[in-house]
Amino acid sequence: ETGVTQSPTHLIKTRGQQVTLRCSSQSGHNTVSWYQQALGQGPQFIFQYYREEENGRGNFPPRFSGLQFPNYSSELNVNALELDDSALYLCASSQDSNQPQHFGDGTRLSIL
Amino acid sequence: QKEVEQNSGPLSVPEGAIASLNCTYSDRGSQSFFWYRQYSGKSPELIMFIYSNGDKEDGRFTAQLNKASQYVSLLIRDSQPSDSATYLCAVRSQAAGNKLTFGGGTRVLVKP
């Protein structure tokens, strides 16, 4: 059984650029959630997708957007990057929106 | 008041002893409770979840939930140096859209 996979593992961008992060959910999982984890803090919920529809959103501005595809993989897009966007971005998938979530290895994004 | 609170630690525990980690939460509508372990530079790994009041045991780990006191704890018996990590408490409320709300984590150091 393949777990949650994320790409890329590391990324360096400059302020004002745009970035797309990708996530493949675990086999049999239809729900994907995205989190931002700053150094030394717990993960912060960005949004969740359930069967291709956004199913909840945290306190992040509209320049954070996402998609879920028919195979339940997902993308996180961030426009107009800011220095504070530097963080570990985590994707988690679950069998359903109310089941335990399992995390991928994350994408470490650095903004210069 | 933070939604989910944990002592940041470090909690220093001798090898073979019991590590006791605590977590309090503010949303009385919370229904599901999770403990994740996160090694430095890695992503969170689910180790326990609990939905009902009382104790739940899995190997060396025991989760305890008291909804009346809005308190969840994790006990690690026979602590090993490999248990040295940050332990994240996460809480989910269906009313909040099934998102996971994390505490800041407790760093545990198990000394040989």
Side-chain angles (χ1 to χ4, degrees), chain B residues 60-80:
Chain B
R60 295 187 296 111
F61 299 102
T62 298
Q64 299 173 317
L65 175 61
N66 184 326
K67 289 185 178 180
S69 299
Q70 295 175 245
Y71 175 96
V72 57
S73 65
L74 179 71
L75 300 178
I76 308 173
R77 290 182 299 283
D78 188 24
S79 296
Q80 301 297 309

Side-chain angles (χ1 to χ4, degrees), chain B residues 4-80:
Chain B
V4 180
E5 296 209 48
Q6 298 180 253
N7 188 319
S8 60
L11 175 65
S12 186
V13 179
E15 184 175 358
I18 296 175
S20 178
L21 290 74
N22 303 318
C23 172
T24 58
Y25 59 94
S26 60
D27 182 358
R28 283 198 169 273
S30 299
Q31 299 162 306
S32 309
F33 306 86
F34 305 85
W35 284 99
Y36 286 84
R37 177 176 62 199
Q38 187 172 27
Y39 292 113
S40 181
K42 301 295 185 182
S43 64
E45 174 192 8
L46 179 66
I47 54 173
M48 289 287 289
F49 59 90
I50 185 167
Y51 300 152
S52 304
N53 278 329
D55 295 0
K56 179 181 178 183
E57 186 174 317
D58 184 358
R60 295 187 296 111
F61 299 102
T62 298
Q64 299 173 317
L65 175 61
N66 184 326
K67 289 185 178 180
S69 299
Q70 295 175 245
Y71 175 96
V72 57
S73 65
L74 179 71
L75 300 178
I76 308 173
R77 290 182 299 283
D78 188 24
S79 296
Q80 301 297 309

Side-chain angles (χ1 to χ4, degrees), chain A residues 1-19:
Chain A
E1 183 180 85
T2 307
V4 181
T5 58
Q6 291 187 243
S7 62
T9 54
H10 294 88
L11 203 51
I12 299 175
K13 291 284 188 178
T14 57
R15 279 188 305 169
Q17 285 189 311
Q18 177 266 342
V19 69

